[in-house]
Structures are given as structure tokens and as C-alpha cells.
Amino acid sequence: MPSLQDLRRYLLSQHSFSSLRMTLGIVLPASLLIFGFGMSLTGLACSVGALCVALIDTQPSGLGIKLRELAVGTLAVMATASLTTLAQGQPVLLWVIVPLVSFLGAFAMVFGPRASVLGLNAVLVMILALTLHDTAPHAIAPYLGGLLTGCLGYAVISLLFAHFLQHPTHRRALGECLFNTAGYLTARSRCYDPEIPLEQCYQALLERQIAVQEAQQMVRDLLLNDLFGRNPSTLDPERVRQFNLFVDVVDLHDMVLSAQTDFETLREQFDGNDSLIFLRDLLEKNAHEVERIAEAVVLNRPLRPYHNTRAELTALAFELSAASASGLEAQNPAAFLALKTSLDRAEQVKRMVDKLHADLLSTSNTTPLRMSAVVSRFRPRHTLWQRPKRWLAGQALRYALRFTLAMSVALAVTRSFPDDHGNWILLTVMVALRPGFGQSRERGMLRIKGTLAGCAAAVLFLMAAPSVIAQFALMLAALLVSLSLMQRNYLVSVFFTSIEVVLFYHLLVPADWHLAYTRLLDTGIGAVIALGAAYLFPFWENRLIRPQLAALLASFRDYFSATGALTPDGELDYRLARRETLLALGTLSATHARMMLEPESRRMLPGDTRRLLLISQQLASETAALAHWLKQSEAHREAALDALGRADRLLALTEVPVLDNEPQAPLCSPIADPAVANLPHTAYSVMRVARRIRYPQTFDVTR
């Protein structure tokens, strides 16, 4: 059950801000035409055009990038709508255009996610234009005019937001990054709770880590593109402050990531001891403080530290002294070292949180990194069309063929309906049929459930006979929530979308009570078609596991190389390699999650893949720990380089099948930090599981 704190985070998030921008861009021009000038058809077309362009503009971006995206989106909307409306009344031409647009729109996924959104938007425009099949020819021009007005009206409003509300947009993205980092800190604190299984803790850490990476990428998209080409010495204080805070939060995540600890040994040795409670409370307090900083960043207000961790740090120092006095260092050196390392990392996290507080007021660059170098190396290069990936071409082709056949069947069923609402079948097929089988099945069921609940809620609301103002207000609220939750909670988004559509049509045709029931019937038919089409030319997610596994191992080797060459001049190379490894880990994790939605017979060694993800997360953490350790001391650089070299050679052997009884060679000499000492062992574990996945016939996979 969502709490008030969750609601507050949502209101402060980038999603709520983006959905507000999209709602205003969709509603304002259309409302002016419908209620101001009484132009219902043109106003409806205006809202359609604005919606189609808004769906391309779901992610915040810089002014120049947004202008290009909106221009291309407007051209695509108008071209598709013009082509479809010209084919009205010509069945042969229509049966050429619908399959052609459907195929090209689905196949666009091979050129990247932005191209995929653009392609499916073209399909959406085509579906909505099909509602004009019974419209008089003289009404087509007002429809296209309204469509263009909606596209341009939304573009103007969105560009005004991007220009005049640039800093609030950046602050919300930065706040979301801080909120997700606080969640990662909280997940890490759970590792010190013996009541929670360690594997559950590691899984939560992996999920939180992926969320942190996505939030960091959003800030890079906005902040670094905004800083590109600017002279760092002439920047206004707000931009400098945002840069400092972003570097701080990335460093904080890196610090927590590098805090690799032998939690199992720590739990066994100190179970029932207050040390684990103090460590857990320390991280939780720091997480709450980071959340307070996130709110202060979004609201642009000063903040004073609230949570004091001096008592926990003093108590832990006492516990460490007591453990040393009792001879624990000699009896169980691993447990003693784990406690000492945890205390050291907790103190470092506290110092970094203090720096976040200080940088809320900073007006000059407080980081050791040159701003221009960071911008040039980490600034994302935005393109609507990416170079096609070879491993994605097969999936895109199968999806395009499946999608085209499903849309053709839906069109035939739609044309057999005597009313104007059959196009909801096409819309349901478009949103429910996904590239993967498991996603299509899940989306189809969620679509039915959300539509059923949303239509029922809308009918109950209308039966209460509220005023037109109340209906319009609820429609706007439903649109706002549905847009904001479109990527986060599909079921709830469909629920509010159904309410919005029913109320919208009711405002246009007040007596049209049968609309809700028609929506339910159309949704059911569309979902059945989509679920049936999912079995045609299926592309199972297990086909992506091996190429993505190879990419992950290659990224680890680059990460090892950058870590071994870590110097003040090589800091950016290290950060770039770390980011690429975490992104590769997130990509493989997403594929595994989609694979688990598919039939059990189509899952390729799901247990091994999940274990690989958890061990890979540990390997990334240990590599970060080694890098942090190298920054602190040069005393054992040779031993550290030896550990990195051995780990790299182990991952390089993945092309050679190895038997399970192969002896494990000595890995590296002892080093003070347990993460450094364990690095080759963890790499060996990753290599073993990777081989089981790449060459399952070599092993007894039932083990």
C-alpha cells in the first residue's frame, strides 16, 4: 500500500512533472477549439495530434534535441494521417497502407528505442485516422488541420517548458537520482539484518542498482547536454551547483557499491551483537538524509543536517576495540576485517553525505574533475536512428511480421462492426502485442483488467450524475495520472486511460451510455488477437542471453583494464568503463526478467542466469572496491594488478569448455582488503556460470 512518503516522492519526481507538461500540451489547444470555438471534430483531431507527439516526448531532453524530436514527430504524424485519410473509401488502397505502416512501424525497433517509439506512434496515428471512414470528404481537411494544430501547439508548449523551466526540470531529475541512491543505501542496510536472507538482499541491491543507473542516465541526458559548449568559468551558480551534486551522488553510489563485505561471515560472527544493528542504522540514517537532500534539491531550498550518526559511529568504534581486545583479530581475522571495513565505509559515506549538504550552497566546482572533460566524455549523443544491431534484426523482423498479421486481422474484425468504436480493437492490439512472448501475454491480461476496472469506475461516476465541470476535472486528472504511470505501472495507467476515454466521449456525446460496454468488448477482442498472434514467429528471450552475456564479460574486461590503469588522469576512463559494465548488467537483468514471463520450457537455465547476475553484481562491487583501495594506497599496487590480471585472463577463457572437476589454481597473494583478495575467485565463479550457460551440453545442468 503506497504511503504518504511515496506520494510525496511521486509529486517531486520527474514523471509527475513530465506528465503535467504533456497534459497541458494535449488539453489546452484542444479545449480552446472545442469549448471556445465549438469545433468538436477539429478539437478532437487537435488532441489526437498533441497526444501522438507527446508520446515521443515522454523523456525530458535539452532544447535542441527536443526541437529535432518534435519536428520529426510532427512530420511523421502528418504524413501517416494524410496517407490514411486519402485511402478512406478505397478498400484496396487501405489494405495496402495498413499492413505497410504496421510493418514499418514495428520493424523500426531495429534502429533503437527512439525510432521504435516513433514507428509505433505512426501506427497509432493511422488507427485514429481510420475513425474517419464514414466521414464526409469535406471534413477531412478540418481533421488534418486540427491534427497539425495539435502537433504544433504541443510542440510550442513543450519547448516553452524546456526553455523557461529548464532548472526545475534538471532539479527534478537530480532529485530522482538522489531518491534512487537513497533506496540503494536502504537496500544495502538490509544486508546487516540477519533476519533477511542474503540472496534476497542481493536481488534487491541489483534492482536498486539498475534504477540508480537509469536515473543517472537521465541526469546526463539533461545536465551534460545543457553544459556542452558553455564556458565553465562563466556558468551561473545554479548550473555549477547541479554539476557538483551530480558528481557527488555518482561518487556516493560508487562508494556504497565498493563497500563489498563478507556479509555471511559478519552475520555468523556478530549475530545477536549490537554491531550489526549499529551498521544497519548508520546506513538507514544516511539514506534518510539523502532523501531530505533530494527534496531540498527539487524544491530549491536550503537544508540543515538532521540525522546525527555520531552515536552509532562511537558505539561501533567501541565494539571494534572490544573485538580487538578479545583476540578476534587472531581467532577470526576475516570477521574482524569485515567489521573494520564496514566501519571505514560507513564513515566515508557519512563524509560524502556531508559534502552533499555543503554543495547545496556551493557556487564553484568542488569536484576534482574538470567540467569540460566530463561533458565531452559522458555527454550522450542523441540520435533518432541508431545503427542496427545484428542480434536485434531477427527479433525485429519476427515482431514486424507478427504485428502486421495481427493488425490485418484486427482491421477485418473492425470493419465488420456497424458502429464507430471498433478501432479500439486495433489500438488494443498495438499496445498489447510486444516483441517478446511473455510481455505480450502479460500486457494483454493487464489491458483487459485495467479496461474492465476503468470502464466500471467511469460508469459509476457518471451514474452519480455529477456536473460537467466535475466530469472534465476527473478526465484531466485521469489523463495526468495515466501519462505519468505509463512506463511505471501499466495496469494503473490503463485503468485511468479507460476513465479518461469514456468521460471524453461522454462530454462529446452525453447520451452515449453504451460506450463503456463497447470499450470492454473491443478490448477483449483485441487482447485475444494479440495473445493469439504472440504464438506466431515467437522470438524467445533466451536467444538474447548469450550475446548479452558476451557483452557483459567484454565490459568487465574493459573495467579491469581501466581499474588497473587508474591514475588521476585516467579517472574518467575508469568512470566510463564502470558505467558501461553496470549498463550491460542492467540489460542482461532486464532480458532475464522478460524471459521469466515466458513458458517454463522456453527459459534457458533461469537459475544459472539469475546466479550469474548476482555474482556479476558482486564482481562489479569488488572491482569498485579495488579501485577505491588503489586511490587510497599504492603500497600493494603490484598485488592488485596481479588480481586484476588473473581475473581478466579467467574471463577471457569463456570460449573454451571446461569440465566441472577442473582444479582451481592459486589465485592471488593476500591483500588487506577482502574484496581485492576475492576478486579472482569471484571472476572464476562468473566464468564458471557463464560457461554453463554458453555450453550447457558440457555440464550436468541439473546440479
Side-chain angles (χ1 to χ4, degrees):
M1 187 70 180
S3 63
L4 289 176
Q5 183 65 17
D6 293 331
L7 178 61
R8 182 175 177 80
R9 281 184 202 160
Y10 164 74
L11 294 175
L12 295 175
S13 71
Q14 188 64 254
H15 295 284
S16 65
F17 195 65
S18 296
S19 62
L20 177 63
R21 180 195 71 234
M22 294 167 69
T23 301
L24 291 176
I26 294 170
V27 170
L28 288 181
S31 299
L32 182 62
L33 291 174
I34 295 174
F35 299 108
F37 298 97
M39 304 168 65
S40 297
L41 177 61
T42 306
L44 176 61
C46 181
S47 65
V48 168
L51 173 64
C52 293
V53 176
L55 292 176
I56 303 173
D57 191 36
T58 54
Q59 295 295 331
S61 55
L63 194 60
I65 298 166
K66 188 180 291 291
L67 180 60
R68 292 197 300 270
E69 290 180 344
L70 294 175
V72 172
T74 300
L75 290 175
V77 167
M78 295 309 301
T80 307
S82 300
L83 197 62
T84 307
T85 52
L86 289 175
Q88 300 291 359
Q90 303 181 46
V92 175
L93 184 57
L94 192 64
W95 276 100
V96 172
I97 290 176
V98 170
L100 179 62
V101 173
S102 298
F103 181 86
L104 295 177
F107 189 73
M109 68 172 289
V110 78
F111 298 103
R114 291 178 180 270
S116 178
V117 172
L118 190 63
L120 291 179
N121 253 24
V123 177
L124 175 62
V125 173
M126 177 192 70
I127 293 171
L128 297 174
L130 289 174
T131 57
L132 299 177
H133 65 89
D134 288 332
T135 305
H138 68 269
I140 292 179
Y143 178 82
L144 293 177
L147 207 65
L148 180 60
T149 302
C151 293
L152 297 179
Y154 177 84
V156 169
I157 291 174
S158 181
L159 291 172
L160 289 175
F161 260 76
H163 180 70
F164 291 105
L165 298 177
Q166 188 179 68
H167 286 324
T169 302
H170 292 184
R171 286 197 295 266
R172 282 179 177 266
L174 191 55
E176 195 158 332
C177 189
L178 284 159
F179 275 126
N180 281 287
T181 304
Y184 187 80
L185 274 168
T186 302
R188 174 70 71 169
S189 72
R190 302 291 188 264
C191 295
Y192 294 103
D193 189 344
E195 301 298 323
I196 305 176
L198 267 179
E199 187 171 344
Q200 181 180 333
C201 295
Y202 291 148
Q203 183 64 36
L205 277 173
L206 179 60
E207 294 170 0
R208 290 289 188 175
Q209 182 173 291
I210 294 171
V212 169
Q213 288 299 120
E214 292 174 351
Q216 288 181 2
Q217 191 60 39
M218 184 190 297
V219 180
R220 292 188 189 99
D221 289 345
L222 289 171
L223 183 60
L224 299 189
N225 274 293
D226 176 53
L227 293 174
F228 181 70
R230 297 180 184 270
N231 186 349
S233 62
T234 60
L235 287 179
D236 59 276
E238 178 71 12
R239 286 187 171 89
V240 176
R241 184 180 303 114
Q242 290 172 0
F243 178 78
N244 289 334
L245 290 170
F246 178 56
V247 174
D248 287 345
V249 73
V250 172
D251 286 344
L252 176 60
H253 173 248
D254 183 44
M255 171 61 64
V256 183
L257 178 69
S258 68
Q260 182 58 34
T261 304
D262 188 351
F263 290 110
E264 189 171 351
T265 300
L266 199 63
R267 286 181 172 199
E268 288 178 359
Q269 178 64 41
F270 296 100
D271 189 18
N273 188 284
D274 290 342
S275 299
L276 294 179
I277 299 176
F278 293 144
L279 287 169
R280 183 199 64 195
D281 291 349
L282 266 172
L283 284 180
E284 284 186 346
K285 281 189 174 183
N286 282 314
H288 292 154
E289 201 63 31
V290 173
E291 286 184 351
R292 295 181 67 245
I293 294 172
E295 291 188 10
V297 168
V298 174
L299 299 175
N300 194 28
R301 68 184 186 190
L303 181 72
R304 298 183 63 182
Y306 176 76
H307 292 94
N308 191 334
T309 58
R310 187 180 305 168
E312 286 82 3
L313 289 172
T314 303
L316 270 174
F318 175 80
E319 293 289 345
L320 186 66
S321 300
S324 177
S326 65
L328 180 64
E329 188 172 5
Q331 299 167 9
N332 192 344
F336 181 82
L337 192 56
L339 180 62
K340 184 177 184 301
T341 304
S342 295
L343 176 58
D344 291 341
R345 292 290 194 271
E347 291 174 339
Q348 291 165 352
V349 168
K350 177 62 171 63
R351 285 195 292 271
M352 301 195 76
V353 172
D354 290 341
K355 188 176 186 302
L356 277 169
H357 271 290
D359 282 343
L360 280 173
L361 305 174
S362 60
T363 57
S364 61
N365 186 5
T366 62
T367 73
L369 304 175
R370 287 190 303 114
M371 190 180 297
S372 58
V374 173
V375 172
S376 63
R377 293 295 301 277
F378 286 87
R379 183 177 70 92
R381 305 309 198 262
H382 285 286
T383 56
L384 284 174
W385 304 95
Q386 299 177 3
R387 179 177 297 180
K389 295 181 175 64
R390 182 178 301 176
W391 56 267
L392 192 59
Q395 184 185 19
L397 180 60
R398 288 167 179 261
Y399 173 53
L401 291 172
R402 185 188 322 128
F403 187 82
T404 303
L405 288 174
M407 291 294 289
S408 300
V409 172
L411 178 64
V413 175
T414 296
R415 288 309 187 210
S416 68
F417 274 72
D419 52 51
D420 297 331
H421 307 309
N423 286 343
W424 197 261
I425 300 173
L426 287 161
L427 186 61
T428 299
V429 171
M430 188 201 79
V431 298
L433 190 57
R434 311 306 296 168
F437 175 86
Q439 283 182 304
S440 296
R441 185 170 62 178
E442 183 186 45
R443 280 247 173 165
M445 298 306 297
L446 292 177
R447 183 83 183 173
I448 293 174
K449 294 176 182 177
T451 303
L452 178 64
C455 289
V459 169
L460 291 175
F461 182 79
L462 291 173
M463 287 176 63
S467 64
V468 174
I469 296 176
Q471 294 173 14
F472 187 73
L474 180 61
M475 185 192 73
L476 291 184
L479 175 62
L480 181 67
V481 176
S482 65
L483 289 173
S484 64
L485 296 178
M486 187 166 39
Q487 297 176 344
R488 305 182 70 180
N489 193 319
Y490 183 71
L491 176 62
V492 179
S493 178
V494 170
F495 171 78
F496 283 101
T497 299
S498 300
I499 294 176
E500 166 217 334
V501 170
V502 171
L503 291 177
F504 180 73
Y505 275 100
H506 182 74
L507 287 171
L508 290 179
V509 187
D512 199 2
W513 279 91
H514 76 283
L515 179 67
Y517 310 109
T518 305
R519 288 285 81 85
L520 292 175
L521 176 62
D522 293 346
T523 298
I525 295 173
V528 169
I529 294 174
L531 290 173
Y535 288 91
L536 300 175
F537 323 117
F539 186 92
W540 306 109
E541 296 292 339
N542 59 41
R543 298 186 180 205
L544 302 179
I545 295 293
R546 289 192 176 99
Q548 291 178 3
L549 170 59
L552 176 63
L553 297 180
S555 70
F556 265 121
R557 297 189 66 195
D558 292 340
Y559 191 16
F560 295 156
S561 176
T563 303
L566 184 57
T567 61
D569 293 335
E571 175 70 22
L572 291 181
D573 292 329
Y574 164 77
R575 288 171 177 261
L576 195 61
R578 181 189 64 201
R579 187 193 69 177
E580 293 303 317
T581 297
L582 295 179
L583 288 176
L585 183 59
T587 300
L588 183 58
S589 177
T591 300
H592 174 260
R594 293 194 303 269
M595 183 179 72
M596 297 305 293
L597 297 174
E598 297 177 345
E600 190 171 349
S601 61
R602 294 295 179 176
R603 301 173 191 170
M604 187 184 70
L605 305 176
D608 280 340
T609 306
R610 183 169 181 272
R611 181 166 174 257
L612 174 75
L613 289 169
L614 297 180
I615 301 175
S616 296
Q617 182 195 19
Q618 181 181 348
L619 181 61
S621 181
E622 290 176 352
T623 309
L626 188 146
H628 178 76
W629 182 78
L630 282 175
K631 293 176 185 178
Q632 304 298 319
S633 171
E634 291 284 330
H636 298 286
R637 173 171 283 274
E638 184 176 348
L641 294 179
D642 178 61
L644 284 168
R646 289 175 182 270
D648 180 74
R649 288 191 293 274
L650 284 168
L651 294 189
L653 295 174
T654 52
E655 293 294 334
V656 182
V658 177
L659 301 177
D660 275 349
N661 59 1
E662 177 184 294
Q664 183 173 337
L667 295 174
C668 69
S669 56
I671 303 178
D673 194 308
V676 181
N678 290 336
L679 183 71
H681 292 277
T682 308
Y684 186 81
S685 299
V686 169
M687 177 268 296
R688 301 291 291 172
V689 181
R691 283 179 175 165
R692 287 173 65 89
I693 295 172
R694 293 174 68 92
Y695 308 101
Q697 68 277 8
T698 309
F699 302 96
D700 176 13
V701 297
T702 61
R703 291 179 52 186

